[in-house]
């Protein structure tokens, strides 16, 4: 029998990174502001160009980018920020960190913001909308932007997992006022840790740059926006969320590989999706019409699994076959299940999102997998579902 593919290892870091790291180690030049034209500054220029944005600011994580975006919008303390109820705990955490209050909106069985609940919850009391494109699934950005523009509400995009995704041919992360990306290891570009934010708004950029830790006149090492900085100098706290040069050295040579990774990731995903959708027990929701995805994992729903025990039996059977499946709502303390965000206080009533999370499965599909490995994963999942449905096991007896 073929061995189960390893879905946890990342891509090797391009050789060019090693040369640059050696050079940085030899000179000790690790701080982004020691010299002009540092690797971090070059990364920002290259990333802004890639996204077609005026400004990019590299920071220590996507969480830091989300926090700085909210701070840069100058939201009053306690401002209500609408976020999807299906996201990673880092998102409500960034809202709390920025002294704001998250308001959770329902997410449908297709993992996207439920527009009926969104419209019901977006009132004049909402100061900002933070759309988390969870696992790279794009919500209806046309409807979201129309509703927010009508009320003058700024939109921040959490595009941590959406680098390379298009919506009506526009890059995800460039539709709202600010877009935030992650370079943590399980994203398209891997630096272990790191993040970047893009915006076309010079005031937001200036404020975020200063708050990220451009103390004294280090803002002068960011090109093109001196006037705004003069205004904000010494008026804002310095949160020190800078990226260091070694991280930029690891990220920069991966940027030219992005297009190929996105293409391969989408091909792999769609190949497995077609196989899974042939099973009566599994359903991979299709993308929305304007959406061209850039996935490095696959999500699907269990169909006709009435009990949690049946769903657990599927998870166990897949594991026996060598494939680890996460059912978001069924693993203890899962950081993507909103009822575990106890730091928010009492969990909100979100029956639709809760029901989705109890049957929504998550499997990593790193872009380097071969067709044989994809077949292995699909066969394991299909076989596990059939086994769980035809050989029900009694739990707890
Ligand atoms: C990974 C991730 C984050 C957090 O990114 P960090 O860089 O680890 O802070 C936020 N939102 C989503 C949707 C993510 O996938």
């Amino acid at each position: 029998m073929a061995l189960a593919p390893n879905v946890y290892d990342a891509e090797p870091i391009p050789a060019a990174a090693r040369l640059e790291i050696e050079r940085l180690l030899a000179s000790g030049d690790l701080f982004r502001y020691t010299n002009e034209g540092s690797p971090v500054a070059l990364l920002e220029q290259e990333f802004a160009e890639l996204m077609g944005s005026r400004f990019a600011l590299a920071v220590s994580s996507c969480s830091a980018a989300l926090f700085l975006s909210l701070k840069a919008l100058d939201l009053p303390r306690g401002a209500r920020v609408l976020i999807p109820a299906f996201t990673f705990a880092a998102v409500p955490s960034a809202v709390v960190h920025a002294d704001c209050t998250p308001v959770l909106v329902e997410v449908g069985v297709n993992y996207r913001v439920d527009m009926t609940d969104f419209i019901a919850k977006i009132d004049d009391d909402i100061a900002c909308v933070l759309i988390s494109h969870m696992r790279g699934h794009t919500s209806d950005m046309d409807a979201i932007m129309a509703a927010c523009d009508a009320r003058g509400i700024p939109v921040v995009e959490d595009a941590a997992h959406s680098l390379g995704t298009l919506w009506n041919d526009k890059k995800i992360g460039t539709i709202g006022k600010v877009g935030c990306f992650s370079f943590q290891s399980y994203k398209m570009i891997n630096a272990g840790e790191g993040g970047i934010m893009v915006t076309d708004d010079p005031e937001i950029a200036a404020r975020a740059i200063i708050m990220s830790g451009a103390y004294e006149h280090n803002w002068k090492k960011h090109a093109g926006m001196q006037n705004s900085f003069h205004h904000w100098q010494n008026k804002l706290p310095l949160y020190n969320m800078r990226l260091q040069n070694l991280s930029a050295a690891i990220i920069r040579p991966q940027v030219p590989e992005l297009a190929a990774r996105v293409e391969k990731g989408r091909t792999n995903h769609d190949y497995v999706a077609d196989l899974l959708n042939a099973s009566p027990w599994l359903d991979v929701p299709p993308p929305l019409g304007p959406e061209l995805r850039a996935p490095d994992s696959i999500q699907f729903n269990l169909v006709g699994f009435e009990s949690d025990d049946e769903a657990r039996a599927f998870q166990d059977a897949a594991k026996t076959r060598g494939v680890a499946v996460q059912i978001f709502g069924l693993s203890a303390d899962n950081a993507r299940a909103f009822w575990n965000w106890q730091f928010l206080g009492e969990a909100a009533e979100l029956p639709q999102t809760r029901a989705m999370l109890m049957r929504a499965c998550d499997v990593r599909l790193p872009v380097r997998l071969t067709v044989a490995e994809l077949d292995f994963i699909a066969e394991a999942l299909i076989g596990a579902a059939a086994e769980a449905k035809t050989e029900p096991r009694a739990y707890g007896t």
Side-chain angles (χ1 to χ4, degrees):
M1 202 180 100
L3 281 178
N6 176 336
V7 297
Y8 291 100
D9 285 358
E11 306 278 310
I13 304 302
R18 298 193 196 151
L19 294 173
E20 176 69 354
I21 288 167
E22 268 308 321
R23 190 186 69 78
L24 291 168
L25 294 182
S27 66
D29 183 10
L30 304 183
F31 182 51
R32 68 161 298 169
Y33 290 128
T34 302
N35 287 302
E36 307 237 2
S38 68
V40 175
L42 294 174
L43 167 66
E44 289 170 343
Q45 283 165 28
E46 290 157 2
F47 199 84
E49 199 168 305
L50 174 78
M51 300 307 291
S53 299
R54 281 184 71 189
F55 310 107
L57 171 65
V59 289
S60 51
S61 67
C62 182
S63 299
L66 293 169
F67 163 77
L68 288 169
S69 301
L70 297 172
K71 295 305 281 183
L73 285 168
D74 199 20
L75 304 176
R77 188 175 288 267
R80 296 166 79 237
V81 176
L82 210 63
I83 66 169
F86 175 42
T87 184
F88 188 56
V91 175
S93 302
V95 176
V96 169
H97 189 191
D99 290 322
C100 297
T101 305
V103 177
L104 274 49
V105 65
E106 288 266 34
V107 168
V109 287
N110 66 355
Y111 319 127
R112 291 161 175 90
V113 168
D114 178 283
M115 287 312 299
T116 306
D117 197 45
F118 182 88
I119 297 298
K121 285 183 177 154
I122 187 160
D123 54 33
D124 289 334
D125 241 16
I126 297 292
C128 175
V129 166
L130 198 177
I131 294 297
S132 184
H133 304 293
M134 183 55 172
R135 286 292 188 269
H137 298 285
T138 314
S139 292
D140 186 344
M141 289 308 287
D142 294 344
I144 289 169
M145 291 311 295
C148 292
D149 286 348
R151 290 176 180 273
I153 298 173
V155 174
V156 174
E157 287 181 84
D158 166 19
H161 234 139
S162 295
L163 184 53
T165 303
L166 301 178
W167 175 264
N168 283 327
D169 294 329
K170 200 163 164 52
K171 293 190 170 73
I172 282 298
T174 66
I175 297 174
K177 265 226 172 296
V178 195
C180 302
F181 299 86
S182 175
F183 300 125
Q184 185 267 342
S185 287
Y186 292 156
K187 320 287 161 144
M188 264 305 170
I189 291 182
N190 162 28
E193 304 286 357
I196 199 163
M197 53 192 280
V198 295
T199 184
D200 288 337
D201 185 317
E203 294 311 307
I204 289 176
R207 292 169 55 83
I209 286 168
I210 288 185
M211 285 189 279
S212 77
Y215 61 91
E216 295 163 356
H217 290 176
N218 278 315
W219 49 261
K220 289 182 178 162
K221 293 172 183 140
H222 290 262
M225 34 196 311
Q226 274 60 359
N227 291 340
S228 317
F229 286 103
H230 276 301
H231 180 71
W232 296 115
Q233 181 80 62
N234 296 339
K235 303 240 171 38
L236 297 166
L238 305 163
Y239 293 105
N240 286 8
M241 295 173 156
R242 297 174 301 254
L243 194 73
Q244 63 144 320
N245 282 338
L246 285 176
S247 303
I250 293 171
I251 295 163
R252 288 182 61 218
Q254 295 181 62
V255 173
E257 295 192 354
L258 179 65
R261 287 184 191 177
V262 166
E263 185 72 35
K264 179 79 171 13
R266 184 162 55 235
T267 306
N268 285 358
H269 173 278
D270 292 354
Y271 179 80
V272 174
D274 283 346
L275 293 173
L276 299 190
N277 277 332
S279 161
W281 312 116
L282 306 175
D283 181 49
V284 184
L288 299 186
E291 185 184 9
L292 193 59
R293 303 195 60 228
D296 59 6
S297 64
I298 189 163
Q299 289 71 45
F300 54 93
N301 296 318
L302 298 176
V303 179
F305 282 62
E306 303 301 333
S307 71
D308 293 351
D309 282 350
E310 259 182 354
R312 284 197 186 93
F314 162 74
Q315 208 172 17
D316 292 348
K319 192 170 183 195
T320 305
R321 288 165 160 80
V323 175
V325 179
Q326 157 177 248
I327 300 175
F328 294 106
L330 284 181
S331 61
D333 297 324
N334 193 300
R336 298 147 202 92
F338 64 85
W339 54 87
N340 289 327
W341 304 337
Q342 293 173 24
F343 52 87
L344 296 183
E346 205 171 317
E349 283 288 325
L350 297 152
Q352 192 181 317
T353 309
R354 181 182 287 269
M356 178 275 284
L357 290 168
M358 296 310 275
R359 295 295 177 269
C361 304
D362 187 31
V363 174
R364 281 178 49 74
L365 282 184
V367 301
R368 68 187 149 68
L369 295 187
T370 63
V371 171
E373 290 173 321
L374 299 172
D375 282 333
F376 183 100
I377 291 172
E379 276 165 31
L381 295 173
I382 292 166
E387 182 187 317
K389 284 306 291 182
T390 53
E391 297 168 27
R393 280 186 282 168
Y395 271 73
T397 53

